[in-house]
Amino acid sequence: MSASPNDARRVRTRVAPSPTGDPHVGTAYVALVNYCFAKQHGGDFLLRIEDTDQARSTPESEQAILAALRWTGLSWDEGPDVGGPHGPYRQSERSKIYKRYADELLEKGHAFRCFCTPERLDAMRAAQRAAGTQQKYDGLCAGIGAEESARRAAAGEPYVVRMKIPATGVCVVNDVARGPVPFDYSSVDMQVLLKSDGLPTYHLANVVDDHLMEITHVIRGEEWMSSAPKHLLLYEYFGWEPPVLMHLPLLRNPDKSKLSKRKNPTGILFYQRMGYLPEALLNFLGLLLAPAPEGQEIFGVDDLTKRLDLAKISLGGPVFDVAKLDWLNGQYLRAISTEELLERTLAWGFDRARVARIASLAKSRVERLSDLVPSTAYLFAGCVAVTKESFAGTKLPVDEIRKALALAMWRLDAERTFDMAAVERVLKGVGETLGVKFRDLSRVYYVAMTGSATALPLFDSMELLGRDIVRERLRVALEALGGVTAKEQKEWGHS
RNA sequence: GGCGCCAUAGUCUAUCGGUUAGGACGCCGCCCUUUCAAGGCGGAGAGACGGGUUCGACCCCCGUUGGCGCUACCA
């Protein structure tokens, strides 16, 4: 099909995750299409880290994303870890480049310095909201003359750089699967390109990097569709040829809302820890990208690479159906030899160091070797059975238990590194917030983590279980007790 | 609220104006079987609604409804 702005150009695609949290299955999904499309055309697939948000990006998250993506089996031709001719591949290391291009836009008159304070912008939006009109920058600073603008900037007044948008006219975004999608320029905001910290926003960095890295096809999530006019305009301002655009539907929760960890496990590493095979996960995601030939639902990345057709990707947001993933994984498990099954199981959760640590923790609690497996089974299980009744032995009222579970879940999410120390700090902190002795509180977590009140030490167990399994068990326990209402979520201090 | 995307069974999908609307997961039943699985066979189950266009609409157009996204000095 369609798909190249210039047939002479080598096809190059990329996946550009932001290291602001756990590696997300959506990232694997986007990576998979980009990989297959590039390979289908004998091109390159690159990985770029979009860490321009200094406040939220962490090196831990970047490492986790790289590791998770590597686990899937996908590989990239260029990236922060493997290098390449268009580096650096980490946006935080490219600030000077963006600054230069922002200056170019300023000089050409396609952008302007905006000195508005956050307070003024808030007030402006509040007024717009109250008036029921469209919320966007009112253009106050667009009229500031070049000399005054330069003078104020030189005087050290803080500012951001915003792009100019034509007052009238229409921008037609040509989406591979959707065809032309028109946007009135009047509905496009004068987007901030360079923040007051001197770093670019996604919009600028993304366009500059895609051009410099010679990306020919941008295949990304649907959440970017409404920003496409801005991006296209930037290519125009710079005089660059824009890439072919394709927006993928977003993965959904069973209730059709956008896949979120509040309602579902979304972490790639969760699926790894649950014991899914990466081939099965990729196969599952591939099923959402290319219709299976009649009855042939089991296929690998190579086959998907042959059959992928961007224009035919189904556009309805697909529900991430774990039951189907389970079936697929079972098919893969049955297809490999018993020998390989053993190897993979050992590699998955029975490496010597892990088993040794578990054994040493269990030692003082067992009297027979036959006690070992039953007493540590919860560390190897995916989910544990927890019901309302499981919490009967705790001394806290049910609302307190729910709050304890919710706070632990949210605060643990906010921890950069997930280890014993972090777990201890968070759980004891919850005890203080609730005003209960940790001794009385701990049982709640033992139950949520193990399904019973007897287990190996809690903090060790949680570290051993890992962030993703822990969150899921907390979530399941919370659901078993009725979940959290929106009101409580607000009252308990979580946005 | 504004702008945009989307709409076939519970879920993932096929159909590119003419089909008894096909397949897969899940569910139910039967077979196999020392149990349970696995496997085999079978079954129930779908075009959101209302208007057009057409000899003929799931398919094309308009509207309604619903879902989703964006609406940040986050990506």
Coordinates of all heavy atoms in Angstrom, one line a residue, chain A residues 39-72:
Chain A
K39 N 10.8 -3.7 9.0 CA 11.4 -4.9 8.5 C 10.8 -5.4 7.2 O 11.4 -5.9 6.3 CB 11.4 -6.0 9.5 CG 12.3 -5.7 10.8 CD 13.7 -5.3 10.4 CE 14.4 -4.5 11.4 NZ 15.6 -3.9 11.0
Q40 N 9.5 -5.1 7.1 CA 8.7 -5.5 5.9 C 9.3 -4.8 4.7 O 9.3 -5.3 3.6 CB 7.3 -5.1 6.1 CG 6.3 -5.5 5.0 CD 4.9 -5.1 5.3 OE1 4.6 -3.9 5.4 NE2 4.1 -6.1 5.5
H41 N 9.8 -3.6 5.0 CA 10.3 -2.8 3.9 C 11.9 -2.8 3.9 O 12.5 -1.9 3.3 CB 9.8 -1.3 4.0 CG 8.3 -1.3 3.7 ND1 7.4 -1.4 4.7 CD2 7.6 -1.1 2.5 CE1 6.2 -1.4 4.1 NE2 6.3 -1.2 2.9
G42 N 12.4 -3.7 4.6 CA 13.9 -3.8 4.6 C 14.5 -2.5 5.3 O 15.7 -2.2 5.0
G43 N 13.8 -1.9 6.2 CA 14.3 -0.7 6.8 C 14.8 -0.8 8.2 O 15.1 -1.9 8.6
D44 N 14.9 0.3 8.9 CA 15.4 0.3 10.3 C 14.3 0.6 11.3 O 13.4 1.4 11.0 CB 16.5 1.3 10.4 CG 17.6 1.2 9.3 OD1 18.0 0.0 9.1 OD2 18.0 2.2 8.7
F45 N 14.5 0.1 12.5 CA 13.6 0.4 13.6 C 14.5 0.9 14.7 O 15.5 0.3 15.1 CB 12.9 -0.9 14.0 CG 12.2 -0.8 15.3 CD1 11.2 0.1 15.5 CD2 12.6 -1.6 16.4 CE1 10.5 0.2 16.7 CE2 11.9 -1.6 17.6 CZ 10.9 -0.7 17.8
L46 N 14.1 2.1 15.2 CA 14.9 2.7 16.3 C 14.2 2.9 17.6 O 12.9 3.0 17.6 CB 15.6 4.0 15.9 CG 15.5 4.8 14.6 CD1 16.4 6.0 14.7 CD2 15.7 4.0 13.4
L47 N 14.9 3.0 18.6 CA 14.4 3.3 19.9 C 14.9 4.6 20.4 O 16.1 4.8 20.4 CB 14.8 2.2 20.9 CG 14.4 2.4 22.4 CD1 12.9 2.4 22.5 CD2 15.0 1.3 23.3
R48 N 14.0 5.5 20.8 CA 14.4 6.8 21.3 C 13.8 7.0 22.6 O 12.6 6.7 22.8 CB 14.0 7.9 20.3 CG 14.5 9.3 20.7 CD 14.2 10.3 19.5 NE 12.8 10.6 19.4 CZ 12.1 10.7 18.2 NH1 12.8 10.6 17.1 NH2 10.9 11.0 18.2
I49 N 14.5 7.6 23.5 CA 14.0 7.9 24.9 C 13.5 9.3 24.9 O 14.3 10.2 24.8 CB 15.0 7.6 26.0 CG1 15.3 6.1 26.0 CG2 14.5 8.0 27.3 CD1 14.2 5.2 26.4
E50 N 12.2 9.5 25.2 CA 11.7 10.9 25.3 C 11.6 11.3 26.7 O 10.6 11.3 27.4 CB 10.3 10.9 24.6 CG 10.3 10.3 23.2 CD 9.8 11.3 22.2 OE1 9.1 12.2 22.5 OE2 10.1 11.0 21.0
D51 N 12.8 11.8 27.2 CA 12.8 12.2 28.6 C 13.0 13.7 28.8 O 13.8 14.1 29.6 CB 14.0 11.5 29.3 CG 15.3 11.7 28.6 OD1 15.3 12.3 27.5 OD2 16.4 11.4 29.1
T52 N 12.2 14.4 28.1 CA 12.3 15.9 28.2 C 11.5 16.4 29.4 O 11.6 17.6 29.8 CB 11.7 16.6 27.0 OG1 10.4 16.2 26.7 CG2 12.6 16.3 25.8
D53 N 10.7 15.5 30.1 CA 10.1 16.0 31.3 C 11.0 15.6 32.5 O 11.0 14.5 33.0 CB 8.7 15.2 31.4 CG 7.9 15.7 32.6 OD1 8.5 16.3 33.5 OD2 6.7 15.4 32.7
Q54 N 11.7 16.7 32.9 CA 12.7 16.5 33.9 C 12.1 16.0 35.2 O 12.7 15.3 36.0 CB 13.5 17.8 34.2 CG 14.4 18.2 33.1 CD 15.6 17.2 32.9 OE1 15.5 16.1 32.4 NE2 16.8 17.7 33.4
A55 N 10.9 16.5 35.5 CA 10.3 16.2 36.8 C 9.8 14.7 36.9 O 9.8 14.1 38.0 CB 9.1 17.1 37.0
R56 N 9.4 14.1 35.8 CA 8.9 12.8 35.9 C 9.8 11.7 35.3 O 9.6 10.5 35.7 CB 7.6 12.7 35.1 CG 6.5 13.6 35.7 CD 5.1 13.3 35.2 NE 5.0 13.2 33.8 CZ 4.2 12.4 33.1 NH1 3.4 11.6 33.8 NH2 4.2 12.4 31.8
S57 N 10.7 12.0 34.5 CA 11.6 11.0 33.9 C 12.6 10.5 34.9 O 13.2 11.3 35.7 CB 12.4 11.5 32.7 OG 11.4 11.9 31.7
T58 N 12.8 9.2 34.9 CA 13.9 8.6 35.8 C 14.7 7.6 35.1 O 14.2 6.9 34.2 CB 13.3 7.9 37.0 OG1 12.6 6.7 36.6 CG2 12.3 8.8 37.8
P59 N 16.0 7.5 35.4 CA 16.8 6.5 34.8 C 16.4 5.1 35.1 O 16.5 4.2 34.3 CB 18.2 6.8 35.4 CG 18.0 7.8 36.5 CD 16.7 8.4 36.3
E60 N 15.8 4.9 36.3 CA 15.3 3.6 36.6 C 14.2 3.2 35.7 O 14.2 2.0 35.2 CB 14.7 3.6 38.1 CG 15.7 3.8 39.2 CD 16.0 5.2 39.4 OE1 15.6 6.1 38.7 OE2 16.8 5.5 40.4
S61 N 13.3 4.1 35.3 CA 12.3 3.8 34.4 C 12.8 3.5 33.0 O 12.4 2.5 32.3 CB 11.3 4.9 34.3 OG 10.3 4.7 33.3
E62 N 13.8 4.2 32.6 CA 14.4 4.0 31.3 C 15.0 2.6 31.2 O 14.8 1.8 30.3 CB 15.5 5.0 31.0 CG 16.2 4.8 29.7 CD 17.4 5.7 29.4 OE1 17.2 6.9 29.6 OE2 18.4 5.2 29.0
Q63 N 15.7 2.2 32.3 CA 16.3 0.9 32.3 C 15.3 -0.2 32.3 O 15.4 -1.2 31.6 CB 17.2 0.7 33.6 CG 18.5 1.4 33.5 CD 19.2 1.0 32.2 OE1 19.4 -0.1 31.9 NE2 19.6 2.1 31.5
A64 N 14.2 0.1 33.0 CA 13.1 -0.9 33.0 C 12.5 -1.1 31.7 O 12.1 -2.2 31.2 CB 12.1 -0.5 34.1
I65 N 12.3 0.0 31.0 CA 11.7 0.0 29.7 C 12.6 -0.8 28.7 O 12.1 -1.6 27.9 CB 11.4 1.4 29.1 CG1 10.2 2.0 29.9 CG2 11.1 1.4 27.6 CD1 10.0 3.5 29.7
L66 N 13.9 -0.5 28.7 CA 14.8 -1.2 27.8 C 14.8 -2.7 28.1 O 14.7 -3.5 27.2 CB 16.2 -0.6 28.1 CG 16.8 0.3 27.0 CD1 15.8 1.2 26.3 CD2 17.9 1.2 27.6
A67 N 14.8 -3.0 29.4 CA 14.8 -4.4 29.7 C 13.6 -5.1 29.3 O 13.6 -6.2 28.8 CB 15.0 -4.6 31.3
A68 N 12.4 -4.4 29.5 CA 11.2 -5.0 29.2 C 11.0 -5.3 27.7 O 10.6 -6.3 27.2 CB 10.0 -4.2 29.7
L69 N 11.5 -4.3 26.9 CA 11.4 -4.4 25.5 C 12.3 -5.5 25.0 O 12.0 -6.2 24.0 CB 11.7 -3.0 24.9 CG 10.7 -2.2 24.1 CD1 9.2 -2.6 24.5 CD2 10.9 -0.7 24.2
R70 N 13.5 -5.6 25.6 CA 14.4 -6.6 25.2 C 13.8 -8.0 25.5 O 13.9 -8.9 24.7 CB 15.7 -6.4 26.0 CG 16.9 -6.0 25.1 CD 18.2 -6.0 25.9 NE 18.6 -4.6 26.2 CZ 18.7 -4.1 27.4 NH1 18.5 -4.8 28.5 NH2 19.1 -2.8 27.5
W71 N 13.1 -8.1 26.6 CA 12.5 -9.3 27.0 C 11.5 -9.8 25.9 O 11.4 -11.0 25.7 CB 11.8 -9.2 28.4 CG 11.0 -10.4 28.7 CD1 11.5 -11.6 29.2 CD2 9.6 -10.5 28.6 NE1 10.4 -12.5 29.3 CE2 9.2 -11.9 29.0 CE3 8.5 -9.7 28.2 CZ2 7.9 -12.3 29.1 CZ3 7.2 -10.2 28.3 CH2 6.9 -11.5 28.7
T72 N 10.8 -8.9 25.3 CA 9.8 -9.3 24.3 C 10.5 -9.9 23.1 O 9.8 -10.7 22.4 CB 9.0 -8.1 23.8 OG1 9.9 -7.2 23.0 CG2 8.3 -7.3 24.8

